[in-house]
Amino acid sequence: MKRFEIIINQFELTLKVIADAIDRLPEWVGAAAAMFGLAGLVFARLLLRPQYMVSGSDFLQFYFWEDFTRQELAAGRLALWNPYFFSGYPALANPQMMVLYPPASLLRLLPLSYSFGLGIMLHMGWAGLGMYWLVRHQGLSRAAAVVSGIAFMMSGVFVTHIQGGHLEWLYTIAWLPWVLWQWQRVMFDRAPSSPWLTGIVSAMMILGGALRVMACAGLMLTVMALFWLASLRKQLVWRDLWRGAGY
């Protein structure tokens, strides 16, 4: 019991240090440093030892898919069809191969075995940063946003899929809080940049490969839009009643 209390106290102290560091820096810089720094600590052993590679029960298929994609691109061809998988398998048409996913394209500049660990680490930090700004948009404090970001990026949503080697799920889920944040800005803030930003982050989710996650995100956005329309209609009804009463 005492050991558990020590762990809790250390965790609270760590959160306080992170929150204080964010308060001293511009918020964008502090939040990004906190989330990516924590993700870097989690993957430090892997990133500092290039001979090691992240693994998982389904990871090998992504390794071979990415290796084939790199070979095709190096030969000056777009990876359309993979003849080495089953009796032939779609490459470009398979979203899980992430042929056109921009972050995956940048990671192809690095050695194959090293790119996976770095990619997961960056997407984990990106997910935490997105949740941070989603919570801040609700009007909560920086400390609450830090806790929410850490809770999301370290949750079972990420840990279980890392263990399972589900790379496309990790890459796609990282964009979910960004989509929700921008969608709220479209509906409630009427920010001029939000519609095209929403389109960009939604496109990144689609190219990330896990279309089921995108389908769930689409359902969430639809529900949010319906609640927004319902609240807007309620406001209009009360406004009409108010005007009808002569005020």
Side-chain angles (χ1 to χ4, degrees):
M1 188 67 180
K2 186 178 292 186
R3 184 178 179 182
F4 179 75
E5 292 178 355
I6 293 174
I7 294 174
I8 294 297
N9 291 334
Q10 290 177 343
F11 181 71
E12 291 177 348
L13 180 61
T14 302
L15 291 178
K16 187 177 184 302
V17 170
I18 293 175
D20 290 342
I22 292 177
D23 287 336
R24 297 192 196 98
L25 297 170
E27 191 168 5
W28 265 104
V29 177
M35 298 306 159
F36 285 105
L38 183 58
L41 288 176
V42 172
F43 283 85
R45 183 182 179 187
L46 188 67
L47 297 177
L48 295 176
R49 294 174 173 83
Q51 66 272 24
Y52 292 118
M53 185 174 64
V54 66
S55 62
S57 57
D58 293 337
F59 176 74
L60 279 180
Q61 67 176 356
F62 292 100
Y63 183 90
F64 293 126
W65 284 347
E66 181 62 22
D67 183 52
F68 171 76
T69 300
R70 292 185 177 212
Q71 291 180 22
E72 290 294 290
L73 294 175
R77 298 187 298 266
L78 189 61
L80 299 175
W81 183 262
N82 186 350
Y84 307 109
F85 203 74
F86 297 126
S87 296
Y89 194 80
L92 184 63
N94 179 13
Q96 290 181 313
M97 291 189 66
M98 295 175 281
V99 177
L100 300 179
Y101 183 51
S105 299
L106 293 176
L107 290 169
R108 289 181 184 122
L109 300 174
L110 301 173
L112 177 60
S113 59
Y114 190 76
S115 65
F116 290 108
L118 181 62
I120 295 174
M121 184 274 288
L122 292 175
H123 281 81
M124 178 179 283
W126 187 248
L129 185 61
M131 183 58 69
Y132 177 93
W133 287 111
L134 177 62
V135 172
R136 288 289 284 156
H137 188 259
Q138 313 306 314
L140 299 180
S141 66
R142 292 187 180 185
V146 169
V147 173
S148 300
I150 294 174
F152 181 62
M153 64 189 281
M154 297 297 179
S155 67
V157 173
F158 277 89
V159 175
T160 55
H161 287 299
I162 292 174
Q163 185 179 8
H166 306 146
L167 199 65
E168 86 284 14
W169 279 80
L170 297 169
Y171 284 8
T172 305
I173 292 173
W175 293 95
L176 180 60
W178 293 93
V179 171
L180 297 178
W181 175 37
Q182 291 303 321
W183 187 240
Q184 287 188 354
R185 293 186 69 213
V186 169
M187 292 187 296
F188 301 111
D189 298 347
R190 310 283 179 87
S193 61
S194 293
W196 61 268
L197 285 175
T198 304
I200 290 175
V201 293
S202 299
M204 297 296 277
M205 278 195 77
I206 295 173
L207 295 174
L211 297 184
R212 286 171 290 179
V213 177
M214 188 61 208
C216 292
L219 181 60
M220 295 171 67
L221 298 182
T222 302
V223 172
M224 290 170 60
L226 290 175
F227 272 102
W228 174 71
L229 290 173
S231 64
L232 186 63
R233 182 175 180 274
K234 186 176 181 181
Q235 292 175 7
L236 292 175
V237 169
W238 279 108
R239 187 183 305 167
D240 292 340
L241 291 174
W242 192 257
R243 289 175 178 173
Y247 294 98

